[in-house]
Amino acid sequence: EDQVTQSPEALRLQEGESSSLNCSYTVSGLRGLFWYRQDPGKGPEFLFTLYSAGEEKEKERLKATLTKKESFLHITAPKPEDSATYLCAVQDSDRGSTLGRLYFGRGTQLTVWP
Amino acid sequence: NAGVTQTPKFRILKIGQSMTLQCTQDMNHNYMYWYRQDPGMGLKLIYYSVGAGITDKGEVPNGYNVSRSTTEDFPLRLELAAPSQTSVYFCASSSHGDIQYFGAGTRLSVL
């Protein structure tokens, strides 16, 4: 069974203190890895898609990287508005990939305080 | 551009009651999905659809039903509501089965 594990479960950072969130996965074949941001009381908001090991994507203070077994979401000089839950999800190329099914981790709750 | 719209936003049901959660999208996406999110847990797929008239079960389909008569709409039906169905429900859509765009969710309590 596909497994997506995110760590840590919760992370508190002071404004400006850079850090990384981890997403490790076990799939038969990775079709894609997705990062979402979720604010309290709202639906997940798409951030990045990564398809192959070595790929990197950036958006403002966020940078996502991918290896064969895990992905990192690096947050550089975070601000309080970066506080949210960050979700990682994978698509397995060997199990109904054309159906677009995503398998989600439990998320990392990030709090950035001034 | 509204994207994915879910109604209602909140609902309280009594055990045994039935209801339909509505989901509509205006992006002409073929793929649509229903998830539930419980505290501290990842999103779990309930049902999905790859086009009008085509639906299939996800990981946790028991107690739910869906239909897809149009490209835009993908309602989720709860029959005989149980406390275990207390959750937040999210609808999502995708054009090519990759990036999914989510609605704001329906928060359901079954008492």
Side-chain angles (χ1 to χ4, degrees), chain B residues 12-108:
Chain B
I12 298 175
L13 283 181
K14 294 182 179 179
I15 295 172
Q17 287 185 322
S18 301
M19 76 164 294
T20 299
L21 282 67
Q22 301 291 345
C23 175
T24 187
Q25 52 94 6
D26 63 0
M27 298 175 282
N28 201 33
H29 286 173
N30 285 323
Y31 297 81
M32 294 190 75
Y33 312 85
W34 274 106
Y35 294 90
R36 60 177 288 170
Q37 186 177 41
D38 300 309
M41 303 297 292
L43 289 152
K44 298 295 184 184
L45 183 66
I46 305 172
Y47 270 95
Y48 61 94
S49 169
V50 299
I54 307 171
T55 63
D56 206 347
K57 297 177 181 179
E59 300 171 79
V60 289
N62 292 342
Y64 308 95
N65 277 299
V66 294
S67 60
R68 184 97 181 270
S69 57
T70 67
T71 299
E72 295 78 20
D73 300 307
F74 191 39
L76 178 71
R77 178 80 177 167
L78 279 70
E79 304 281 2
L80 298 175
S84 61
Q85 293 178 306
T86 294
S87 189
V88 182
Y89 292 85
F90 289 102
C91 178
S93 72
S94 174
S95 60
H96 302 295
D98 47 12
I99 301 170
Q100 294 183 17
Y101 297 92
F102 286 79
T106 294
R107 284 146 189 80
L108 176 67

Side-chain angles (χ1 to χ4, degrees), chain A residues 37-40 79-86 110-113:
Chain A
R37 169 189 172 129
Q38 186 174 22
D39 293 298
K79 299 181 177 182
E81 53 262 43
D82 294 321
S83 297
T85 296
Y86 291 86
L110 174 66
T111 303
V112 183
W113 49 284

Side-chain angles (χ1 to χ4, degrees), chain A residues 80-112:
Chain A
E81 53 262 43
D82 294 321
S83 297
T85 296
Y86 291 86
L87 302 174
C88 174
V90 299
Q91 271 187 343
D92 185 348
S93 63
D94 290 342
R95 194 191 304 179
S97 63
T98 57
L99 303 175
R101 295 180 59 169
L102 291 178
Y103 297 89
F104 280 85
R106 299 184 180 190
T108 293
Q109 185 175 358
L110 174 66
T111 303
V112 183

Side-chain angles (χ1 to χ4, degrees), chain A residues 10-25:
Chain A
L11 181 63
R12 286 178 54 87
L13 299 173
Q14 188 171 13
E15 185 171 4
E17 180 186 2
S18 301
S19 187
S20 297
L21 312 182
N22 177 261
C23 172
S24 62
Y25 60 90

